[in-house]
Amino acid sequence: MPQQLTSRRGLLFGTAAVSAGALLAGCTSNEPKEQEQAADTQPAADDQPGKQVTIGFAGPQADHGWLNAINENAKSRAEKYQDVTLEITEGSNDTAAQIGQIETLINKKVDVLVILPADGKALTQVGLKAMRAGIPVVNLDRIFNTPQAYRCWIGGDNYGMGLNAGHYIGEQLKDKPDARVIELAGLDNLELTQQRTQGFDDALKNYPNIRKVARQAAEFTVESGQAKMAQLLQAQSRFDALWNHDDDQGVGALRAIEQAGRDDFLMVGGAGALSAFQAIKQDDGVLKATVLYPPTMAASAIDLARALGQGKGVGGLAEYEIPASITLYSAVVDKTNVDQYMSTGFE
């Protein structure tokens, strides 16, 4: 998991990104249920008001489409519940500022904290402080250095993103002799980028006819995506597939591809932006699929925090307590299932 991320993000259960908190939708008390009414009239047990819970939410500055969607998912999920009050801080990429914001929430004695740290390592101590003060912490995506700093971690699978992207490309090219692929990565100093590349490389080992012939690191921005993709296109006169780590930088990559007049390969993106879903559905360009890292994880973090605050477990599991960690699945979205995921796309 990423330990430092200053300009961007550091997927729900199974392939259920489309139904954020599908497993958690059954968060319920441990008491036996009353006799249920018909499914179309009976609200889910999770929707029934319970003990009032104040949740403090602290995340980084929303300087990227994914991070903005994280905030919106948290807000909209909290608004769903009559028994939840959300105290949300102004996002900051300055670790000292974010620590101060979290300490303010601790001093307010919120019931539960949801924290997506700008820097997991640097914010570990404030996570420990909250836990020692008796405030359970839901650590969102970028992980703290020790599990003592959180009650539950929920986040994406960066290695799985690369693995699934590689298998998707591999299946498309498995019958093509001497197939060539290239990779447009994210920031190379981030562990998440290295994990995505490792997963991609490991998947390609299953396809001996495929070679990765080039890799270029960008910066998870539209501008860097366009510039680095232009360099790749100039250096590689022939390749059959491109994996781009991030749909935001993919907007720039697609601009460079259009400017170069290239359409002789397929492209797979990453994260799940609405613009990527729309291009995949339209199916008139090189972008054929994207691998999810859905911001709906923030909605599930609110579900988890509410369950913790009310002393509930998770419906669908035999255990009385919520899990210590939940790793989300990186589903591949292509034209066969894009309609299912369209509502989760972020701008």
Side-chain angles (χ1 to χ4, degrees):
M1 294 304 304
Q3 297 303 325
Q4 183 172 2
L5 189 56
T6 57
S7 65
R8 142 179 230 287
R9 62 180 176 280
L11 247 118
L12 247 145
F13 311 103
T15 59
V18 67
S19 55
L23 186 58
L24 297 172
C27 282
T28 181
S29 70
N30 300 321
E31 298 301 321
K33 293 183 180 179
E34 297 294 328
Q35 185 174 0
E36 294 184 353
Q37 301 175 13
D40 59 347
T41 59
Q42 173 73 6
D46 189 51
D47 292 334
Q48 297 174 355
K51 174 187 174 182
Q52 289 293 322
V53 178
T54 299
I55 301 173
F57 182 91
Q61 182 179 350
D63 55 2
H64 183 278
W66 187 87
L67 284 170
N68 184 64
I70 281 284
N71 291 341
E72 292 305 312
N73 271 272
K75 291 176 185 177
S76 62
R77 197 65 165 188
E79 289 170 357
K80 170 185 174 182
Y81 299 117
Q82 299 176 27
D83 51 20
V84 168
T85 300
L86 187 66
E87 293 262 358
I88 190 165
T89 66
E90 181 179 351
S92 176
N93 290 329
D94 180 271
T95 55
Q98 193 178 21
I99 288 170
Q101 292 168 347
I102 296 168
E103 288 179 335
T104 297
L105 291 171
I106 294 172
N107 292 334
K108 286 185 175 182
K109 295 181 168 55
V110 297
D111 297 302
V112 190
L113 276 167
V114 176
I115 304 174
L116 199 168
D119 181 333
K121 180 179 180 180
L123 269 75
T124 296
Q125 288 302 315
V126 78
L128 284 166
K129 183 176 181 179
M131 291 288 288
R132 289 166 180 164
I135 302 174
V137 174
V138 178
N139 183 192
L140 182 56
D141 200 42
R142 305 176 198 165
I143 198 165
F144 294 134
N145 270 9
T146 171
Q148 295 184 73
Y150 58 86
R151 167 57 182 82
C152 178
W153 173 84
I154 179 170
D157 183 359
N158 289 290
Y159 178 86
M161 281 186 77
L163 192 71
N164 290 348
H167 278 299
Y168 181 86
I169 288 173
E171 289 302 304
Q172 307 308 306
L173 301 179
K174 63 183 179 181
D175 297 324
K176 184 178 179 63
D178 191 29
R180 300 157 62 93
V181 302
I182 64 173
E183 180 181 5
L184 183 62
L187 286 161
D188 251 346
N189 65 326
L190 299 179
E191 186 178 358
L192 71 86
T193 299
Q194 299 160 21
Q195 291 171 337
R196 293 178 187 185
T197 291
Q198 186 62 59
F200 187 62
D201 290 346
D202 286 351
L204 292 182
K205 292 174 183 177
N206 295 280
Y207 305 94
N209 63 307
I210 301 175
R211 289 187 299 132
K212 187 168 78 172
V213 296
R215 180 184 183 277
Q216 181 68 260
E219 298 173 4
F220 293 127
T221 64
V222 173
E223 296 76 16
S224 68
Q226 184 170 356
K228 299 302 184 179
M229 190 67 225
Q231 294 176 16
L232 281 169
L233 291 167
Q234 186 174 12
Q236 301 296 324
S237 59
R238 182 185 77 80
F239 58 92
D240 302 290
L242 157 70
W243 184 45
N244 161 57
H245 284 206
D246 176 73
D247 287 332
D248 273 13
Q249 73 182 24
V251 172
L254 286 167
R255 288 177 186 170
I257 291 165
E258 183 178 359
Q259 289 172 358
R262 296 282 294 272
D263 61 0
D264 52 330
F265 58 90
L266 68 92
M267 174 178 171
V268 175
L274 181 59
S275 62
F277 290 161
Q278 291 169 336
I280 291 166
K281 183 176 177 65
Q282 193 168 346
D283 196 24
D284 61 357
V286 298
L287 184 58
K288 301 301 181 184
T290 190
V291 188
L292 294 184
Y293 203 91
T296 45
M297 66 174 72
S300 289
I302 296 298
D303 287 344
L304 288 163
R306 176 175 178 260
L308 282 168
Q310 295 180 341
K312 297 179 179 179
V314 177
L317 295 180
E319 287 72 25
Y320 288 110
E321 301 289 343
I322 69 168
S325 64
I326 302 170
T327 302
L328 309 179
Y329 183 70
S330 302
V332 176
V333 178
D334 63 8
K335 64 181 180 181
T336 67
N337 63 352
V338 65
D339 287 336
Q340 177 186 358
Y341 292 95
M342 192 67 74
S343 65
T344 71
F346 59 88
E347 298 185 44

